[in-house]
Amino acid sequence: MSSNAKEVQKELLGSEDPNNSSSSEQTSKLGKFVHSLNNATHRVSMLVLFLMMFLTTGDVIGRYFFYKPITGTYELTGLAMVIVIFLSLGRTQLKKEHISIDFLTSKLPVKIRESLNVFTSTIMLALLGITSWQLFAYAQRFGVQTSGDLGIPMKYFAIVAAIGVLFYALTIILNILQSISKVVQKNES
């Protein structure tokens, strides 16, 4: 593994400071667990996106060359987007690719910046917890309701969305722990 890859892994999974080995080891184990969950769900979302591409291509070819579109393509594409989006949220957070505006906070000292990150991440965690809970409740309310053309049960997509939000919340917990460790670590200057 290259030194740059080791630095990225060290940053994502927590520092390996011997003075803070127990908390860093737990954060590292949690980090590996969260990474494996989000990598698995991200692979599922990539597969669904790949299949959605073939479905859309087949629908366009059928529509314009054979005058026979594939029935339910619009419906399947919409339901597939639920899978693609919600199962990729956690991985996007792990890679720090969500949109953030930090032109003010980037000028603050590290401890203040990380303290603000803990505060905002805690609010985010609460909102994600409520969202996941409500998505599970929403799935229960769906009952046996199905989609229009193909009759696909809708509650399974609400459950997938809730699981995706739950895994996203796990990445926020990991970010909070990493920020806390940066706030409490001693200055090395």
Side-chain angles (χ1 to χ4, degrees):
M1 188 184 299
S2 71
S3 64
N4 191 22
K6 286 181 184 177
E7 289 175 18
V8 169
Q9 183 179 16
K10 185 177 176 183
E11 180 181 325
L12 289 174
L13 299 178
S15 67
E16 302 204 11
D17 182 16
N19 299 332
N20 197 11
S21 63
S22 64
S23 66
S24 125
E25 187 176 306
Q26 290 173 346
T27 303
S28 179
K29 286 180 182 179
L30 176 66
K32 288 179 183 177
F33 176 70
V34 169
H35 277 269
S36 64
L37 280 178
N38 284 300
N39 285 337
T41 57
H42 185 66
R43 285 188 181 107
V44 170
S45 71
M46 288 189 308
L47 176 66
V48 169
L49 184 63
F50 185 72
L51 295 173
M52 194 169 65
M53 176 191 67
F54 278 116
L55 177 66
T56 304
T57 304
D59 184 53
V60 169
I61 290 171
R63 179 179 313 241
Y64 289 109
F65 293 115
F66 304 112
Y67 304 105
K68 287 286 243 180
I70 299 173
T71 305
T73 299
Y74 181 75
E75 186 177 303
L76 282 173
T77 302
L79 294 173
M81 286 304 290
V82 170
I83 296 170
V84 170
I85 291 169
F86 283 96
L87 293 186
S88 295
L89 286 173
R91 174 73 185 267
T92 306
Q93 179 66 26
L94 286 174
K95 294 180 71 72
K96 308 278 190 232
E97 292 180 349
H98 284 292
I99 295 172
S100 64
I101 301 170
D102 63 349
F103 64 91
L104 290 177
T105 57
S106 64
K107 303 203 183 321
L108 295 172
V110 173
K111 291 189 186 253
I112 294 174
R113 184 173 56 230
E114 294 301 325
S115 297
L116 284 172
N117 188 31
V118 168
F119 176 72
T120 57
S121 293
T122 303
I123 293 171
M124 183 70 175
L125 181 62
L127 292 173
L128 289 173
I130 292 169
T131 302
S132 184
W133 166 51
Q134 286 300 307
L135 280 168
F136 277 117
Y138 189 61
Q140 294 296 323
R141 287 192 305 263
F142 262 131
V144 293
Q145 185 178 351
T146 59
S147 62
D149 292 335
L150 301 175
I152 299 171
M154 299 296 287
K155 76 178 191 178
Y156 299 118
F157 293 94
I159 291 170
V160 167
I163 290 170
V165 170
L166 193 61
F167 289 173
Y168 182 26
L170 288 175
T171 63
I172 297 295
I173 291 171
L174 183 63
N175 288 346
I176 290 172
L177 293 175
Q178 290 170 346
S179 292
I180 288 172
S181 71
K182 289 178 184 175
V183 168
V184 297
Q185 85 182 26
K186 296 177 184 173
N187 284 343
E188 297 177 6
S189 44

PDB file of all heavy atoms in Angstrom, residues 77-112:
ATOM      1  N   THR A  77     -37.431   2.781 -13.340  1.00  0.00           N
ATOM      2  CA  THR A  77     -36.354   3.760 -13.203  1.00  0.00           C
ATOM      3  C   THR A  77     -36.540   4.585 -11.933  1.00  0.00           C
ATOM      4  O   THR A  77     -35.580   4.822 -11.198  1.00  0.00           O
ATOM      5  CB  THR A  77     -36.309   4.676 -14.431  1.00  0.00           C
ATOM      6  OG1 THR A  77     -36.127   3.880 -15.605  1.00  0.00           O
ATOM      7  CG2 THR A  77     -35.189   5.676 -14.337  1.00  0.00           C
ATOM      8  N   GLY A  78     -37.752   4.994 -11.659  1.00  0.00           N
ATOM      9  CA  GLY A  78     -38.020   5.757 -10.445  1.00  0.00           C
ATOM     10  C   GLY A  78     -37.752   4.954  -9.185  1.00  0.00           C
ATOM     11  O   GLY A  78     -37.144   5.448  -8.226  1.00  0.00           O
ATOM     12  N   LEU A  79     -38.175   3.697  -9.177  1.00  0.00           N
ATOM     13  CA  LEU A  79     -37.933   2.842  -8.010  1.00  0.00           C
ATOM     14  C   LEU A  79     -36.447   2.505  -7.869  1.00  0.00           C
ATOM     15  O   LEU A  79     -35.928   2.416  -6.752  1.00  0.00           O
ATOM     16  CB  LEU A  79     -38.773   1.573  -8.110  1.00  0.00           C
ATOM     17  CG  LEU A  79     -40.289   1.774  -8.020  1.00  0.00           C
ATOM     18  CD1 LEU A  79     -41.019   0.469  -8.295  1.00  0.00           C
ATOM     19  CD2 LEU A  79     -40.684   2.355  -6.678  1.00  0.00           C
ATOM     20  N   ALA A  80     -35.774   2.332  -8.993  1.00  0.00           N
ATOM     21  CA  ALA A  80     -34.337   2.039  -8.949  1.00  0.00           C
ATOM     22  C   ALA A  80     -33.558   3.232  -8.420  1.00  0.00           C
ATOM     23  O   ALA A  80     -32.530   3.070  -7.746  1.00  0.00           O
ATOM     24  CB  ALA A  80     -33.835   1.649 -10.334  1.00  0.00           C
ATOM     25  N   MET A  81     -34.042   4.437  -8.689  1.00  0.00           N
ATOM     26  CA  MET A  81     -33.360   5.625  -8.176  1.00  0.00           C
ATOM     27  C   MET A  81     -33.406   5.686  -6.655  1.00  0.00           C
ATOM     28  O   MET A  81     -32.480   6.201  -6.018  1.00  0.00           O
ATOM     29  CB  MET A  81     -33.968   6.896  -8.777  1.00  0.00           C
ATOM     30  CG  MET A  81     -33.595   7.122 -10.227  1.00  0.00           C
ATOM     31  SD  MET A  81     -31.817   7.154 -10.516  1.00  0.00           S
ATOM     32  CE  MET A  81     -31.386   8.687  -9.736  1.00  0.00           C
ATOM     33  N   VAL A  82     -34.460   5.149  -6.054  1.00  0.00           N
ATOM     34  CA  VAL A  82     -34.520   5.065  -4.591  1.00  0.00           C
ATOM     35  C   VAL A  82     -33.346   4.238  -4.086  1.00  0.00           C
ATOM     36  O   VAL A  82     -32.639   4.622  -3.147  1.00  0.00           O
ATOM     37  CB  VAL A  82     -35.863   4.453  -4.127  1.00  0.00           C
ATOM     38  CG1 VAL A  82     -35.841   4.131  -2.647  1.00  0.00           C
ATOM     39  CG2 VAL A  82     -37.016   5.366  -4.469  1.00  0.00           C
ATOM     40  N   ILE A  83     -33.110   3.109  -4.729  1.00  0.00           N
ATOM     41  CA  ILE A  83     -32.012   2.230  -4.334  1.00  0.00           C
ATOM     42  C   ILE A  83     -30.669   2.913  -4.570  1.00  0.00           C
ATOM     43  O   ILE A  83     -29.803   2.926  -3.689  1.00  0.00           O
ATOM     44  CB  ILE A  83     -32.090   0.891  -5.104  1.00  0.00           C
ATOM     45  CG1 ILE A  83     -33.364   0.150  -4.723  1.00  0.00           C
ATOM     46  CG2 ILE A  83     -30.859   0.037  -4.835  1.00  0.00           C
ATOM     47  CD1 ILE A  83     -33.665  -1.052  -5.592  1.00  0.00           C
ATOM     48  N   VAL A  84     -30.487   3.485  -5.738  1.00  0.00           N
ATOM     49  CA  VAL A  84     -29.207   4.112  -6.091  1.00  0.00           C
ATOM     50  C   VAL A  84     -28.871   5.248  -5.133  1.00  0.00           C
ATOM     51  O   VAL A  84     -27.755   5.331  -4.609  1.00  0.00           O
ATOM     52  CB  VAL A  84     -29.236   4.617  -7.557  1.00  0.00           C
ATOM     53  CG1 VAL A  84     -28.035   5.476  -7.863  1.00  0.00           C
ATOM     54  CG2 VAL A  84     -29.304   3.442  -8.517  1.00  0.00           C
ATOM     55  N   ILE A  85     -29.821   6.112  -4.874  1.00  0.00           N
ATOM     56  CA  ILE A  85     -29.548   7.293  -4.038  1.00  0.00           C
ATOM     57  C   ILE A  85     -29.346   6.914  -2.580  1.00  0.00           C
ATOM     58  O   ILE A  85     -28.337   7.268  -1.965  1.00  0.00           O
ATOM     59  CB  ILE A  85     -30.673   8.329  -4.188  1.00  0.00           C
ATOM     60  CG1 ILE A  85     -30.634   8.927  -5.595  1.00  0.00           C
ATOM     61  CG2 ILE A  85     -30.568   9.416  -3.132  1.00  0.00           C
ATOM     62  CD1 ILE A  85     -31.830   9.757  -5.953  1.00  0.00           C
ATOM     63  N   PHE A  86     -30.283   6.198  -1.993  1.00  0.00           N
ATOM     64  CA  PHE A  86     -30.215   5.945  -0.563  1.00  0.00           C
ATOM     65  C   PHE A  86     -29.095   4.988  -0.171  1.00  0.00           C
ATOM     66  O   PHE A  86     -28.538   5.113   0.917  1.00  0.00           O
ATOM     67  CB  PHE A  86     -31.566   5.461  -0.039  1.00  0.00           C
ATOM     68  CG  PHE A  86     -32.558   6.567   0.124  1.00  0.00           C
ATOM     69  CD1 PHE A  86     -33.488   6.838  -0.865  1.00  0.00           C
ATOM     70  CD2 PHE A  86     -32.548   7.362   1.258  1.00  0.00           C
ATOM     71  CE1 PHE A  86     -34.392   7.869  -0.723  1.00  0.00           C
ATOM     72  CE2 PHE A  86     -33.453   8.398   1.409  1.00  0.00           C
ATOM     73  CZ  PHE A  86     -34.381   8.654   0.414  1.00  0.00           C
ATOM     74  N   LEU A  87     -28.753   4.046  -1.039  1.00  0.00           N
ATOM     75  CA  LEU A  87     -27.672   3.131  -0.683  1.00  0.00           C
ATOM     76  C   LEU A  87     -26.290   3.722  -0.950  1.00  0.00           C
ATOM     77  O   LEU A  87     -25.285   3.123  -0.578  1.00  0.00           O
ATOM     78  CB  LEU A  87     -27.831   1.791  -1.420  1.00  0.00           C
ATOM     79  CG  LEU A  87     -29.043   0.966  -1.010  1.00  0.00           C
ATOM     80  CD1 LEU A  87     -29.005  -0.399  -1.701  1.00  0.00           C
ATOM     81  CD2 LEU A  87     -29.140   0.793   0.498  1.00  0.00           C
ATOM     82  N   SER A  88     -26.225   4.890  -1.560  1.00  0.00           N
ATOM     83  CA  SER A  88     -24.937   5.550  -1.812  1.00  0.00           C
ATOM     84  C   SER A  88     -24.655   6.704  -0.858  1.00  0.00           C
ATOM     85  O   SER A  88     -23.560   7.259  -0.888  1.00  0.00           O
ATOM     86  CB  SER A  88     -24.890   6.067  -3.252  1.00  0.00           C
ATOM     87  OG  SER A  88     -24.915   5.003  -4.152  1.00  0.00           O
ATOM     88  N   LEU A  89     -25.603   7.057  -0.018  1.00  0.00           N
ATOM     89  CA  LEU A  89     -25.421   8.196   0.880  1.00  0.00           C
ATOM     90  C   LEU A  89     -24.236   8.005   1.826  1.00  0.00           C
ATOM     91  O   LEU A  89     -23.421   8.905   2.005  1.00  0.00           O
ATOM     92  CB  LEU A  89     -26.694   8.445   1.692  1.00  0.00           C
ATOM     93  CG  LEU A  89     -27.860   9.077   0.969  1.00  0.00           C
ATOM     94  CD1 LEU A  89     -29.092   9.090   1.863  1.00  0.00           C
ATOM     95  CD2 LEU A  89     -27.517  10.475   0.516  1.00  0.00           C
ATOM     96  N   GLY A  90     -24.142   6.849   2.447  1.00  0.00           N
ATOM     97  CA  GLY A  90     -23.067   6.602   3.401  1.00  0.00           C
ATOM     98  C   GLY A  90     -21.695   6.625   2.761  1.00  0.00           C
ATOM     99  O   GLY A  90     -20.750   7.205   3.305  1.00  0.00           O
ATOM    100  N   ARG A  91     -21.576   6.019   1.608  1.00  0.00           N
ATOM    101  CA  ARG A  91     -20.279   5.997   0.911  1.00  0.00           C
ATOM    102  C   ARG A  91     -19.870   7.413   0.500  1.00  0.00           C
ATOM    103  O   ARG A  91     -18.697   7.773   0.597  1.00  0.00           O
ATOM    104  CB  ARG A  91     -20.377   5.082  -0.314  1.00  0.00           C
ATOM    105  CG  ARG A  91     -19.178   5.075  -1.214  1.00  0.00           C
ATOM    106  CD  ARG A  91     -18.010   4.327  -0.596  1.00  0.00           C
ATOM    107  NE  ARG A  91     -16.820   4.421  -1.398  1.00  0.00           N
ATOM    108  CZ  ARG A  91     -16.458   3.556  -2.319  1.00  0.00           C
ATOM    109  NH1 ARG A  91     -17.194   2.486  -2.535  1.00  0.00           N
ATOM    110  NH2 ARG A  91     -15.369   3.724  -3.006  1.00  0.00           N
ATOM    111  N   THR A  92     -20.829   8.199   0.067  1.00  0.00           N
ATOM    112  CA  THR A  92     -20.537   9.581  -0.308  1.00  0.00           C
ATOM    113  C   THR A  92     -20.046  10.364   0.907  1.00  0.00           C
ATOM    114  O   THR A  92     -19.106  11.160   0.796  1.00  0.00           O
ATOM    115  CB  THR A  92     -21.785  10.248  -0.904  1.00  0.00           C
ATOM    116  OG1 THR A  92     -22.273   9.435  -1.973  1.00  0.00           O
ATOM    117  CG2 THR A  92     -21.483  11.626  -1.436  1.00  0.00           C
ATOM    118  N   GLN A  93     -20.643  10.119   2.069  1.00  0.00           N
ATOM    119  CA  GLN A  93     -20.191  10.787   3.289  1.00  0.00           C
ATOM    120  C   GLN A  93     -18.789  10.317   3.673  1.00  0.00           C
ATOM    121  O   GLN A  93     -17.961  11.124   4.088  1.00  0.00           O
ATOM    122  CB  GLN A  93     -21.168  10.525   4.435  1.00  0.00           C
ATOM    123  CG  GLN A  93     -20.771  11.144   5.755  1.00  0.00           C
ATOM    124  CD  GLN A  93     -20.797  12.646   5.723  1.00  0.00           C
ATOM    125  OE1 GLN A  93     -21.517  13.260   4.952  1.00  0.00           O
ATOM    126  NE2 GLN A  93     -19.989  13.262   6.577  1.00  0.00           N
ATOM    127  N   LEU A  94     -18.509   9.041   3.534  1.00  0.00           N
ATOM    128  CA  LEU A  94     -17.177   8.530   3.869  1.00  0.00           C
ATOM    129  C   LEU A  94     -16.097   9.153   2.995  1.00  0.00           C
ATOM    130  O   LEU A  94     -14.988   9.412   3.457  1.00  0.00           O
ATOM    131  CB  LEU A  94     -17.136   7.006   3.718  1.00  0.00           C
ATOM    132  CG  LEU A  94     -17.848   6.206   4.797  1.00  0.00           C
ATOM    133  CD1 LEU A  94     -17.852   4.726   4.432  1.00  0.00           C
ATOM    134  CD2 LEU A  94     -17.211   6.421   6.160  1.00  0.00           C
ATOM    135  N   LYS A  95     -16.428   9.412   1.755  1.00  0.00           N
ATOM    136  CA  LYS A  95     -15.459   9.999   0.835  1.00  0.00           C
ATOM    137  C   LYS A  95     -15.468  11.525   0.882  1.00  0.00           C
ATOM    138  O   LYS A  95     -14.758  12.164   0.115  1.00  0.00           O
ATOM    139  CB  LYS A  95     -15.715   9.503  -0.585  1.00  0.00           C
ATOM    140  CG  LYS A  95     -15.458   7.996  -0.726  1.00  0.00           C
ATOM    141  CD  LYS A  95     -15.697   7.491  -2.110  1.00  0.00           C
ATOM    142  CE  LYS A  95     -14.697   7.916  -3.103  1.00  0.00           C
ATOM    143  NZ  LYS A  95     -13.375   7.379  -3.108  1.00  0.00           N
ATOM    144  N   LYS A  96     -16.293  12.094   1.781  1.00  0.00           N
ATOM    145  CA  LYS A  96     -16.397  13.551   1.956  1.00  0.00           C
ATOM    146  C   LYS A  96     -16.779  14.242   0.643  1.00  0.00           C
ATOM    147  O   LYS A  96     -16.224  15.268   0.284  1.00  0.00           O
ATOM    148  CB  LYS A  96     -15.086  14.146   2.480  1.00  0.00           C
ATOM    149  CG  LYS A  96     -14.533  13.492   3.707  1.00  0.00           C
ATOM    150  CD  LYS A  96     -15.200  14.028   4.931  1.00  0.00           C
ATOM    151  CE  LYS A  96     -14.448  13.537   6.172  1.00  0.00           C
ATOM    152  NZ  LYS A  96     -15.298  12.925   7.131  1.00  0.00           N
ATOM    153  N   GLU A  97     -17.754  13.673  -0.070  1.00  0.00           N
ATOM    154  CA  GLU A  97     -18.156  14.223  -1.362  1.00  0.00           C
ATOM    155  C   GLU A  97     -19.526  14.885  -1.333  1.00  0.00           C
ATOM    156  O   GLU A  97     -20.045  15.259  -2.372  1.00  0.00           O
ATOM    157  CB  GLU A  97     -18.099  13.133  -2.425  1.00  0.00           C
ATOM    158  CG  GLU A  97     -16.673  12.692  -2.702  1.00  0.00           C
ATOM    159  CD  GLU A  97     -16.559  11.609  -3.750  1.00  0.00           C
ATOM    160  OE1 GLU A  97     -17.591  11.018  -4.138  1.00  0.00           O
ATOM    161  OE2 GLU A  97     -15.430  11.355  -4.176  1.00  0.00           O
ATOM    162  N   HIS A  98     -20.121  15.016  -0.140  1.00  0.00           N
ATOM    163  CA  HIS A  98     -21.348  15.796  -0.047  1.00  0.00           C
ATOM    164  C   HIS A  98     -20.979  17.272  -0.153  1.00  0.00           C
ATOM    165  O   HIS A  98     -19.881  17.680   0.211  1.00  0.00           O
ATOM    166  CB  HIS A  98     -22.069  15.537   1.276  1.00  0.00           C
ATOM    167  CG  HIS A  98     -22.786  14.231   1.319  1.00  0.00           C
ATOM    168  ND1 HIS A  98     -23.893  13.957   0.550  1.00  0.00           N
ATOM    169  CD2 HIS A  98     -22.555  13.116   2.042  1.00  0.00           C
ATOM    170  CE1 HIS A  98     -24.304  12.738   0.797  1.00  0.00           C
ATOM    171  NE2 HIS A  98     -23.513  12.202   1.693  1.00  0.00           N
ATOM    172  N   ILE A  99     -21.902  18.070  -0.620  1.00  0.00           N
ATOM    173  CA  ILE A  99     -21.653  19.499  -0.773  1.00  0.00           C
ATOM    174  C   ILE A  99     -21.517  20.125   0.615  1.00  0.00           C
ATOM    175  O   ILE A  99     -22.339  19.891   1.501  1.00  0.00           O
ATOM    176  CB  ILE A  99     -22.803  20.168  -1.548  1.00  0.00           C
ATOM    177  CG1 ILE A  99     -22.853  19.626  -2.966  1.00  0.00           C
ATOM    178  CG2 ILE A  99     -22.652  21.681  -1.539  1.00  0.00           C
ATOM    179  CD1 ILE A  99     -24.060  20.075  -3.751  1.00  0.00           C
ATOM    180  N   SER A 100     -20.465  20.900   0.789  1.00  0.00           N
ATOM    181  CA  SER A 100     -20.289  21.622   2.046  1.00  0.00           C
ATOM    182  C   SER A 100     -19.706  23.000   1.742  1.00  0.00           C
ATOM    183  O   SER A 100     -18.942  23.165   0.790  1.00  0.00           O
ATOM    184  CB  SER A 100     -19.380  20.859   3.004  1.00  0.00           C
ATOM    185  OG  SER A 100     -18.085  20.755   2.465  1.00  0.00           O
ATOM    186  N   ILE A 101     -20.099  23.952   2.532  1.00  0.00           N
ATOM    187  CA  ILE A 101     -19.601  25.312   2.371  1.00  0.00           C
ATOM    188  C   ILE A 101     -18.758  25.609   3.598  1.00  0.00           C
ATOM    189  O   ILE A 101     -19.279  25.721   4.706  1.00  0.00           O
ATOM    190  CB  ILE A 101     -20.765  26.316   2.226  1.00  0.00           C
ATOM    191  CG1 ILE A 101     -21.613  25.931   1.020  1.00  0.00           C
ATOM    192  CG2 ILE A 101     -20.241  27.732   2.107  1.00  0.00           C
ATOM    193  CD1 ILE A 101     -22.904  26.670   0.899  1.00  0.00           C
ATOM    194  N   ASP A 102     -17.462  25.708   3.402  1.00  0.00           N
ATOM    195  CA  ASP A 102     -16.564  25.859   4.545  1.00  0.00           C
ATOM    196  C   ASP A 102     -15.592  27.028   4.399  1.00  0.00           C
ATOM    197  O   ASP A 102     -14.531  27.029   4.991  1.00  0.00           O
ATOM    198  CB  ASP A 102     -15.801  24.565   4.775  1.00  0.00           C
ATOM    199  CG  ASP A 102     -14.906  24.193   3.614  1.00  0.00           C
ATOM    200  OD1 ASP A 102     -15.023  24.803   2.547  1.00  0.00           O
ATOM    201  OD2 ASP A 102     -14.072  23.282   3.790  1.00  0.00           O
ATOM    202  N   PHE A 103     -15.968  28.045   3.637  1.00  0.00           N
ATOM    203  CA  PHE A 103     -15.033  29.157   3.437  1.00  0.00           C
ATOM    204  C   PHE A 103     -14.809  29.939   4.729  1.00  0.00           C
ATOM    205  O   PHE A 103     -13.770  30.568   4.884  1.00  0.00           O
ATOM    206  CB  PHE A 103     -15.471  30.075   2.291  1.00  0.00           C
ATOM    207  CG  PHE A 103     -16.771  30.795   2.516  1.00  0.00           C
ATOM    208  CD1 PHE A 103     -16.782  32.051   3.098  1.00  0.00           C
ATOM    209  CD2 PHE A 103     -17.964  30.223   2.125  1.00  0.00           C
ATOM    210  CE1 PHE A 103     -17.970  32.722   3.300  1.00  0.00           C
ATOM    211  CE2 PHE A 103     -19.160  30.887   2.321  1.00  0.00           C
ATOM    212  CZ  PHE A 103     -19.173  32.141   2.916  1.00  0.00           C
ATOM    213  N   LEU A 104     -15.746  29.884   5.668  1.00  0.00           N
ATOM    214  CA  LEU A 104     -15.535  30.538   6.964  1.00  0.00           C
ATOM    215  C   LEU A 104     -14.870  29.599   7.970  1.00  0.00           C
ATOM    216  O   LEU A 104     -13.918  29.975   8.643  1.00  0.00           O
ATOM    217  CB  LEU A 104     -16.862  31.039   7.535  1.00  0.00           C
ATOM    218  CG  LEU A 104     -17.511  32.214   6.822  1.00  0.00           C
ATOM    219  CD1 LEU A 104     -18.852  32.550   7.455  1.00  0.00           C
ATOM    220  CD2 LEU A 104     -16.602  33.429   6.843  1.00  0.00           C
ATOM    221  N   THR A 105     -15.388  28.386   8.059  1.00  0.00           N
ATOM    222  CA  THR A 105     -14.857  27.465   9.065  1.00  0.00           C
ATOM    223  C   THR A 105     -13.455  26.968   8.732  1.00  0.00           C
ATOM    224  O   THR A 105     -12.729  26.568   9.639  1.00  0.00           O
ATOM    225  CB  THR A 105     -15.792  26.254   9.236  1.00  0.00           C
ATOM    226  OG1 THR A 105     -15.954  25.603   7.976  1.00  0.00           O
ATOM    227  CG2 THR A 105     -17.136  26.678   9.780  1.00  0.00           C
ATOM    228  N   SER A 106     -13.065  26.994   7.481  1.00  0.00           N
ATOM    229  CA  SER A 106     -11.721  26.522   7.126  1.00  0.00           C
ATOM    230  C   SER A 106     -10.637  27.441   7.685  1.00  0.00           C
ATOM    231  O   SER A 106      -9.487  27.032   7.815  1.00  0.00           O
ATOM    232  CB  SER A 106     -11.582  26.409   5.609  1.00  0.00           C
ATOM    233  OG  SER A 106     -11.693  27.677   5.006  1.00  0.00           O
ATOM    234  N   LYS A 107     -10.992  28.646   8.051  1.00  0.00           N
ATOM    235  CA  LYS A 107     -10.022  29.606   8.602  1.00  0.00           C
ATOM    236  C   LYS A 107      -9.914  29.509  10.118  1.00  0.00           C
ATOM    237  O   LYS A 107      -9.051  30.123  10.721  1.00  0.00           O
ATOM    238  CB  LYS A 107     -10.414  31.015   8.188  1.00  0.00           C
ATOM    239  CG  LYS A 107     -10.511  31.155   6.671  1.00  0.00           C
ATOM    240  CD  LYS A 107     -10.341  32.547   6.223  1.00  0.00           C
ATOM    241  CE  LYS A 107     -10.505  32.736   4.741  1.00  0.00           C
ATOM    242  NZ  LYS A 107      -9.983  31.760   3.860  1.00  0.00           N
ATOM    243  N   LEU A 108     -10.784  28.729  10.751  1.00  0.00           N
ATOM    244  CA  LEU A 108     -10.772  28.579  12.204  1.00  0.00           C
ATOM    245  C   LEU A 108      -9.697  27.587  12.636  1.00  0.00           C
ATOM    246  O   LEU A 108      -9.293  26.713  11.852  1.00  0.00           O
ATOM    247  CB  LEU A 108     -12.137  28.086  12.686  1.00  0.00           C
ATOM    248  CG  LEU A 108     -13.318  29.026  12.489  1.00  0.00           C
ATOM    249  CD1 LEU A 108     -14.616  28.320  12.842  1.00  0.00           C
ATOM    250  CD2 LEU A 108     -13.149  30.282  13.317  1.00  0.00           C
ATOM    251  N   PRO A 109      -9.271  27.656  13.888  1.00  0.00           N
ATOM    252  CA  PRO A 109      -8.342  26.641  14.411  1.00  0.00           C
ATOM    253  C   PRO A 109      -8.990  25.255  14.386  1.00  0.00           C
ATOM    254  O   PRO A 109     -10.226  25.127  14.438  1.00  0.00           O
ATOM    255  CB  PRO A 109      -8.091  27.092  15.855  1.00  0.00           C
ATOM    256  CG  PRO A 109      -8.466  28.534  15.891  1.00  0.00           C
ATOM    257  CD  PRO A 109      -9.508  28.731  14.848  1.00  0.00           C
ATOM    258  N   VAL A 110      -8.161  24.235  14.341  1.00  0.00           N
ATOM    259  CA  VAL A 110      -8.645  22.859  14.185  1.00  0.00           C
ATOM    260  C   VAL A 110      -9.616  22.471  15.290  1.00  0.00           C
ATOM    261  O   VAL A 110     -10.671  21.891  15.009  1.00  0.00           O
ATOM    262  CB  VAL A 110      -7.453  21.871  14.144  1.00  0.00           C
ATOM    263  CG1 VAL A 110      -7.939  20.437  14.157  1.00  0.00           C
ATOM    264  CG2 VAL A 110      -6.592  22.128  12.925  1.00  0.00           C
ATOM    265  N   LYS A 111      -9.308  22.780  16.528  1.00  0.00           N
ATOM    266  CA  LYS A 111     -10.177  22.358  17.636  1.00  0.00           C
ATOM    267  C   LYS A 111     -11.558  23.015  17.563  1.00  0.00           C
ATOM    268  O   LYS A 111     -12.565  22.360  17.802  1.00  0.00           O
ATOM    269  CB  LYS A 111      -9.509  22.647  18.974  1.00  0.00           C
ATOM    270  CG  LYS A 111      -8.315  21.748  19.217  1.00  0.00           C
ATOM    271  CD  LYS A 111      -7.792  21.887  20.614  1.00  0.00           C
ATOM    272  CE  LYS A 111      -6.531  21.078  20.760  1.00  0.00           C
ATOM    273  NZ  LYS A 111      -6.697  19.892  21.530  1.00  0.00           N
ATOM    274  N   ILE A 112     -11.602  24.273  17.189  1.00  0.00           N
ATOM    275  CA  ILE A 112     -12.896  24.963  17.054  1.00  0.00           C
ATOM    276  C   ILE A 112     -13.656  24.401  15.863  1.00  0.00           C
ATOM    277  O   ILE A 112     -14.864  24.138  15.940  1.00  0.00           O
ATOM    278  CB  ILE A 112     -12.697  26.485  16.932  1.00  0.00           C
ATOM    279  CG1 ILE A 112     -12.119  27.045  18.228  1.00  0.00           C
ATOM    280  CG2 ILE A 112     -14.008  27.178  16.583  1.00  0.00           C
ATOM    281  CD1 ILE A 112     -11.744  28.499  18.157  1.00  0.00           C
TER     282      ILE A 112
END
